[in-house]
Amino acid sequence: MNRIQKKIWMLAAVVLVIMAVIWITLTYYNQKTQSQYNDILQRYLRMNEVTSASQHVVTDLNNYLLEPSEVNLDKLDHSKANIRRAKDDVQQLKNTENEFALTNYMNLIDSLIETTDRSLMFYSESDTEASNREFTEATRISKYISEMTLTLIDTELKTYDRFYRGIIDQSAELKKLGIWLMLLITFLLLMITYWFSLSITRPVQQLTRAANELSAGKFDKEIKVDSNDEISFLAQTFNRMRININNLFQEIQQKAQLEHELQESKLLLKESQLRNLQSQINPHFLFNTLNTLSKKAYLEGSEETSDLLVNVAGLLRYNLKWLDRSVTLRDEVMVIQQYMNIQKARFTDRLTLNMEIDESCLDVQIPGLTLQPIIENAVIYAVEPREDGGVIWIRIKDSDERVMVEVEDDGPGIPEHKIQPILAGEVVHTDGASTGIGFTNVVKRLRLFYGVEDVMEIHSRMGYGTKIIMKIPKTKGVEQHVKANDRG
Amino acid sequence: MRKAGIITLSLLCIILCYFTYITAQKAFQSDWELPAASTQKEERYRLVLITQELETPFWDKVGAGAKEQAQRDGASLEVWGSYGKNQEDFLKKLEIAIQSKVDGIIVQGLDTQKFKDLTKIKAAFYGIPIITVANDVPKAESLRKTYVGSDQYLAGEMLAQLMLSDMGPKGNVVLLSDSQKEYYQEQRLKGMREVFSDYPNVKTVYAETADTREQVIATTQDLLNQYPDTNGFIAVNANIAGAMIQEIGRRGQVQLYHIYSFDDGSESISLLKSGKIDGMIEQSPEMMGRKSVNLLIKWLSNEKVPLDADGYLSDVRILKAKD
């Protein structure tokens, strides 16, 4: 944590260090140059001091010779001490270039002092002439010292010429260095600041973009922020939130879908019932009437008619009774047999029915009244319109996980362009000959019941017949679906 | 686009770094070393060579020889002096050298009272050895330790003989000297007279002149007027040869006269090369320089005490114009 703060501190520290380094360097350099200047000045000052000190000696000597008092002697001693000190100072200026001249110079000073002393000595011995001679010599030596000072300073200037020029050049270079350094630092600081600000603002921008997308409802895009500070932490949290919201959202959608499907299946059921009710004219009345008719036919010796009536009554009862619940395939097959008995009575020889039924498959659960509408269709299209009748095959076979129910006829077939809409569950306008519950109704109900899309295949060749295959899962699909939801 | 930007920025950065580095190097590097503080604690001999004629070919060679030898022997030597025979300046330099208590002085002898006073009294007082070089001043008068240079008497003889062999044992010869009457000139003259005295048919005229150019010209004019049948000239002081020849050339053909001189004048070599001088005595200035320094150091280090007061003579040769 505290990464952003750390970064800011780091930037400040870098700037501070750079400034400190430059300041220290320049100060150090300045000090160095200053002391060099001082040294140089010192040299000249010291040499100059010798000249004036030597002149003082001569003046004081003169004063003493003219007026030999204690004060003047003190003065003379003082100036002699001065010139000795000046000599010691000059001694330090010795270097390889001026060694010879400087030694001469110092010896000259010695000579001056000696001559002065001699003059004093002669004076004290009252040898005025000798004393004066020595004084003249001292004056001359003092003059030589002045001249030599100038020569030395001149030599000095020549010797140090390169040095002085160096200093001037260096100060010019220093000015240039200042400019370059400023450019370099400006550049570097701009770069560092840019990089630094980017490292803060880029994650923020990414986060902003992600937030925008999230607010626009795109929950499936992952939020990724390439940074290692608080923003990244924020982004991770944000991403987790997005995933949670996304999951919740999907769950709600699934539930809504499920509800929608349930609603739909209920509607379909209602529709079937309504259709059925429409076709029931007071079913109990009809039912009782049919039974009475059957008894009557039986009593009148027409057993065949009586059976037919019983079949019709059974069919009717089945219709009323099982429509809204699941039945076994066995019940369906029984109804179909009753139905076919009635149709046989109607079409006699024109209808040939072949049934191949695998008894082991008949315990499969199936929504009520699913087979009958299909067979009714086959009868309507393949048998009814044809003078010479038609053949209908019904096969129930076991196929691993599913039970295959095939209804085949040798009728005119279904045009290719109609097959798809039927399977897709769209309402197909038929010519109204069917008893009610349509083909599409069956498809939808099967799908809803098993929760599987792939429940029916239609194979048809124009002029040769149609084969409808219902693929019924052995386990009930809704249970699977519920289980799947529990797991999710 | 981005890549190009990065490359440009890095290049810029490198360039800036480079220039900053270069200028920093220049600004902080001090290649101008100050002269090293004198490290030599052991005292080296401090010698001074003092001449009256600085920057003449002859004395430049003496100075070069002396410096070479001084370097070899580990002594420090400086050449001081005056220009154009400025005696006052020369003597002042000599006095400064004495007052500066140098270890030894090599000096071009000057045959004046003041010079002798300085060398005899001052130098002796400070105990500074003096060696005369090229021009001698007798030991008794100057208390010099020794003399290094040509045997001027021999040089005079050689020049006179050269003249005789060129001119034949008959003729009039003018010997022009300067009025200083310096010791070395006297020696030369002595040598010449010695030779000419053996030839009665050779008449010599001795003349003196002050050493300014105008005076030399005037004297030469006089001589040419007085002795129109002169066959040859000898400039005893090499420095007056130039002015003398100039005057002779103005009056007639220089080639007609036999003119001889010495090599220690500032114009000597060029006069010889242009053929105006027929011959001259060539001395060995480098050797004089070397030898004098060598002797002085030997004396100082007590290797050779005392030095030969008569002097150490260097080679003299005859140099003839190639005509």
Side-chain angles (χ1 to χ4, degrees):
Chain A
M1 284 309 270
N2 283 333
R3 289 287 312 192
I4 290 178
Q5 201 183 10
K6 221 182 261 172
K7 277 184 193 171
I8 292 172
W9 272 109
M10 229 164 72
L11 182 69
V14 165
V15 174
L16 210 69
V17 165
I18 290 175
M19 270 161 42
V21 164
I22 290 169
W23 185 80
I24 289 169
T25 317
L26 286 187
T27 309
Y28 168 76
Y29 181 75
N30 214 17
Q31 288 288 329
K32 212 178 92 182
T33 324
Q34 202 78 293
S35 74
Q36 274 170 347
Y37 284 142
N38 287 348
D39 283 352
I40 292 159
L41 276 180
Q42 201 79 32
R43 294 180 86 87
Y44 295 132
L45 287 178
R46 280 177 182 175
M47 286 177 187
N48 208 37
E49 211 173 303
V50 171
T51 306
S52 61
S54 76
Q55 278 162 0
H56 269 295
V57 169
V58 173
T59 317
D60 288 340
L61 178 64
N62 188 31
N63 286 344
Y64 179 74
L65 293 181
L66 290 177
E67 191 191 325
S69 67
E70 202 61 26
V71 182
N72 280 343
L73 190 63
D74 278 352
K75 268 191 184 170
L76 181 57
D77 285 341
H78 183 69
S79 49
K80 276 201 291 193
N82 262 350
I83 201 167
R84 280 206 189 89
R85 205 176 321 118
K87 186 191 141 199
D88 289 343
D89 285 344
V90 165
Q91 171 112 39
Q92 292 159 14
L93 306 184
K94 210 185 250 192
N95 60 32
T96 47
E97 306 238 350
N98 66 3
E99 195 176 8
F100 193 95
L102 213 69
T103 312
N104 288 351
Y105 193 51
M106 286 188 306
N107 287 342
L108 266 184
I109 296 169
D110 283 342
S111 294
L112 176 66
I113 295 169
E114 284 161 20
T115 316
T116 310
D117 288 345
R118 274 204 303 279
S119 174
L120 282 176
M121 190 186 74
F122 285 132
Y123 188 78
S124 64
E125 287 167 4
S126 302
D127 188 347
T128 323
E129 200 187 323
S131 170
N132 273 338
R133 202 176 57 237
E134 294 298 330
F135 171 71
T136 319
E137 198 171 323
T139 317
R140 218 163 46 235
I141 295 174
S142 166
K143 208 178 79 199
Y144 294 157
I145 289 177
S146 306
E147 278 175 21
M148 208 164 205
T149 306
L150 290 180
T151 324
L152 266 175
I153 288 179
D154 196 45
T155 324
E156 206 60 9
L157 274 175
K158 271 181 206 142
T159 311
Y160 285 81
D161 179 74
R162 217 151 48 88
F163 176 71
Y164 299 147
R165 284 181 200 290
I167 288 179
I168 293 168
D169 287 350
Q170 252 188 0
S171 70
E173 284 298 330
L174 205 66
K175 233 180 265 171
K176 257 196 262 172
L177 175 69
I179 292 167
W180 281 118
L181 209 62
M182 204 185 71
L183 281 176
L184 180 69
I185 290 170
T186 310
F187 177 79
L188 283 180
L189 277 187
L190 278 178
M191 284 296 103
I192 291 173
T193 312
Y194 175 73
W195 166 79
F196 168 74
S197 63
L198 212 63
S199 79
I200 291 180
T201 52
R202 195 164 28 200
V204 172
Q205 269 170 4
Q206 282 172 334
L207 205 64
T208 314
R209 216 175 303 127
N212 260 338
E213 272 172 5
L214 223 61
S215 75
K218 290 180 200 156
F219 287 97
D220 47 353
K221 211 163 170 184
E222 202 191 336
I223 299 167
K224 232 184 129 187
V225 171
D226 39 359
S227 121
N228 49 4
D229 52 21
E230 292 93 328
I231 305 287
S232 142
F233 173 75
L234 215 65
Q236 278 168 13
T237 325
F238 208 43
N239 196 33
R240 229 172 299 143
M241 189 182 88
R242 175 194 67 83
I243 291 167
N244 286 344
I245 289 177
N246 203 16
N247 284 345
L248 233 86
F249 196 65
Q250 271 178 354
E251 225 166 278
I252 287 172
Q253 261 184 338
Q254 263 173 1
K255 272 185 189 160
Q257 175 129 23
L258 227 70
E259 230 155 82
H260 176 74
E261 281 172 9
L262 215 67
Q263 204 74 33
E264 202 174 1
S265 92
K266 273 182 188 164
L267 274 174
L268 282 171
L269 207 65
K270 287 260 166 66
E271 188 197 79
S272 331
Q273 282 173 330
L274 195 69
R275 291 268 174 106
N276 264 309
L277 286 173
Q278 276 175 348
S279 62
Q280 291 166 8
I281 310 153
N282 197 345
H284 285 284
F285 167 73
L286 211 63
F287 201 53
N288 292 340
T289 310
L290 277 173
N291 272 339
T292 314
L293 282 175
S294 161
K295 297 278 165 41
K296 186 133 173 81
Y298 189 76
L299 288 176
E300 280 169 5
S302 176
E303 286 180 11
E304 212 173 321
T305 309
S306 171
D307 283 349
L308 204 62
L309 283 171
V310 168
N311 278 338
V312 171
L315 196 63
L316 205 61
R317 189 165 50 223
Y318 186 82
N319 269 7
L320 287 171
K321 204 175 167 184
W322 302 110
L323 202 60
D324 55 350
R325 65 191 73 167
S326 65
V327 295
T328 56
L329 192 55
R330 198 184 302 278
D331 294 330
E332 276 293 283
V333 171
M334 223 166 65
V335 172
I336 285 165
Q337 272 166 347
Q338 286 181 331
Y339 176 76
M340 286 317 279
N341 282 343
I342 298 166
Q343 293 295 6
K344 267 227 174 103
R346 187 178 157 200
F347 295 111
T348 60
D349 290 341
R350 283 167 60 198
L351 174 64
T352 317
L353 177 69
N354 294 316
M355 283 175 92
E356 297 164 26
I357 291 167
D358 183 350
E359 285 292 328
S360 66
C361 299
L362 292 180
D363 293 323
V364 171
Q365 291 283 317
I366 190 169
L369 280 176
T370 40
L371 271 184
Q372 189 260 339
I374 291 165
I375 293 165
E376 190 179 11
N377 257 8
V379 172
I380 288 167
Y381 291 107
V383 181
E384 209 176 47
R386 288 160 71 192
E387 285 293 314
D388 50 348
V391 188
I392 292 174
W393 291 268
I394 296 173
R395 302 183 196 92
I396 296 176
K397 292 187 285 189
D398 191 354
S399 161
D400 293 337
E401 289 179 6
R402 294 190 177 203
V403 174
M404 310 299 270
V405 180
E406 292 178 16
V407 179
E408 194 178 350
D409 63 53
D410 59 348
I414 307 170
E416 195 70 27
H417 66 270
K418 278 188 180 172
I419 292 174
Q420 259 339 96
I422 289 166
L423 285 179
E426 287 171 27
V427 178
V428 180
H429 291 282
T430 52
D431 36 12
S434 97
T435 43
I437 302 162
F439 204 110
T440 47
N441 188 301
V442 173
V443 175
K444 278 186 184 175
R445 269 166 58 214
L446 279 174
R447 280 183 186 155
L448 281 174
F449 188 83
Y450 295 110
V452 181
E453 284 293 299
D454 176 30
V455 288
M456 189 174 279
E457 281 175 28
I458 299 174
H459 302 287
S460 180
R461 273 178 73 200
M462 294 302 285
Y464 287 96
T466 306
K467 187 181 188 182
I468 292 164
I469 306 166
M470 283 195 282
K471 298 188 271 186
I472 296 160
K474 284 181 180 170
T475 47
K476 199 179 163 191
V478 178
E479 281 163 16
Q480 281 178 342
H481 189 74
V482 169
K483 272 181 203 159
N485 268 357
D486 284 348
R487 255 179 283 147
Chain B
M1 185 59 202
R2 197 180 149 74
K3 211 170 181 181
I6 287 172
I7 288 171
T8 317
L9 285 178
S10 336
L11 258 170
L12 202 66
C13 186
I14 289 167
I15 288 168
L16 281 174
C17 280
Y18 175 75
F19 277 113
T20 311
Y21 177 71
I22 291 289
T23 33
Q25 219 177 23
K26 275 193 210 154
F28 292 117
Q29 186 186 57
S30 43
D31 53 347
W32 25 268
E33 276 300 310
L34 289 173
S38 173
T39 46
Q40 265 162 319
K41 283 290 150 219
E42 30 126 6
E43 284 293 302
R44 299 205 301 178
Y45 292 126
R46 293 181 302 122
L47 311 180
V48 182
L49 170 65
I50 306 174
T51 159
Q52 300 168 56
E53 296 155 276
L54 278 177
E55 292 181 22
T56 56
F58 183 84
W59 281 101
D60 279 352
K61 283 179 193 163
V62 177
K67 274 185 176 160
E68 190 193 319
Q69 184 66 36
Q71 204 170 17
R72 205 176 298 156
D73 291 347
S76 44
L77 178 130
E78 278 197 2
V79 179
W80 293 1
S82 64
Y83 293 91
K85 288 219 161 193
N86 184 339
Q87 287 189 8
E88 199 184 319
D89 212 19
F90 167 72
L91 291 170
K92 188 171 121 191
K93 287 278 155 57
L94 183 59
E95 188 177 357
I96 291 178
I98 294 167
Q99 300 281 18
S100 299
K101 299 174 182 171
V102 293
D103 295 311
I105 299 174
I106 299 163
V107 69
Q108 177 184 9
L110 178 65
D111 205 358
T112 65
Q113 192 52 45
K114 207 162 173 219
F115 178 84
K116 288 167 190 165
D117 282 351
L118 275 174
T119 48
K120 240 158 102 176
I121 303 167
K122 269 272 169 56
F125 178 78
Y126 283 107
I128 299 170
I130 288 181
I131 289 182
T132 50
V133 67
N135 303 346
D136 193 18
V137 177
K139 166 149 173 116
E141 292 165 41
S142 64
L143 281 182
R144 59 159 175 77
K145 294 297 167 209
T146 186
Y147 160 72
V148 177
S150 316
D151 182 350
Q152 301 293 3
Y153 179 82
L154 176 70
E157 276 184 344
M158 281 168 74
L159 198 64
Q161 269 155 6
L162 172 67
M163 188 166 193
L164 285 174
S165 70
D166 281 355
M167 188 179 69
K170 194 171 165 262
N172 298 323
V173 177
V174 172
L175 307 176
L176 190 61
S177 172
D178 70 24
S179 47
Q180 296 278 338
K181 291 200 173 174
E182 284 190 56
Y183 179 73
Y184 76 97
Q185 292 187 30
E186 298 290 337
Q187 291 288 314
R188 286 177 185 174
L189 279 170
K190 231 164 111 188
M192 290 177 207
R193 286 200 177 114
E194 181 73 36
V195 173
F196 288 132
S197 64
D198 292 342
Y199 296 86
N201 287 334
V202 174
K203 272 198 237 163
T204 57
V205 176
Y206 173 69
E208 279 181 12
T209 173
D211 58 1
T212 62
R213 214 171 170 83
E214 292 78 28
Q215 279 299 317
V216 175
I217 288 171
T219 314
T220 315
Q221 233 166 8
D222 265 5
L223 287 168
L224 285 170
N225 289 338
Q226 263 180 287
Y227 310 102
D229 53 349
T230 304
N231 299 96
F233 286 87
I234 292 179
V236 181
N237 180 347
N239 281 314
I240 62 176
M244 186 185 85
I245 289 166
Q246 187 191 338
E247 181 54 29
I248 297 170
R250 221 160 53 82
R251 293 285 288 264
Q253 281 230 304
V254 180
Q255 268 75 17
L256 294 178
Y257 296 96
H258 297 282
I259 302 172
Y260 300 88
S261 185
F262 295 84
D263 69 338
D264 48 359
S266 49
E267 298 163 288
S268 301
I269 302 292
S270 60
L271 286 171
L272 183 78
K273 273 186 182 156
S274 61
K276 285 174 179 162
I277 292 180
D278 296 276
M280 68 181 194
I281 294 294
E282 194 196 28
Q283 311 175 67
S284 317
E286 281 113 331
M287 206 212 122
M288 288 178 205
R290 278 201 298 272
K291 187 76 187 166
S292 56
V293 171
N294 191 11
L295 285 172
L296 197 54
I297 287 170
K298 272 186 182 159
W299 189 88
L300 285 168
S301 54
N302 284 329
E303 266 181 58
K304 198 167 186 179
V305 183
L307 297 173
D308 188 351
D310 288 340
Y312 295 85
L313 303 178
S314 56
D315 298 341
V316 280
R317 285 179 302 282
I318 284 172
L319 214 62
K320 286 182 80 172
K322 292 177 210 150
D323 48 348

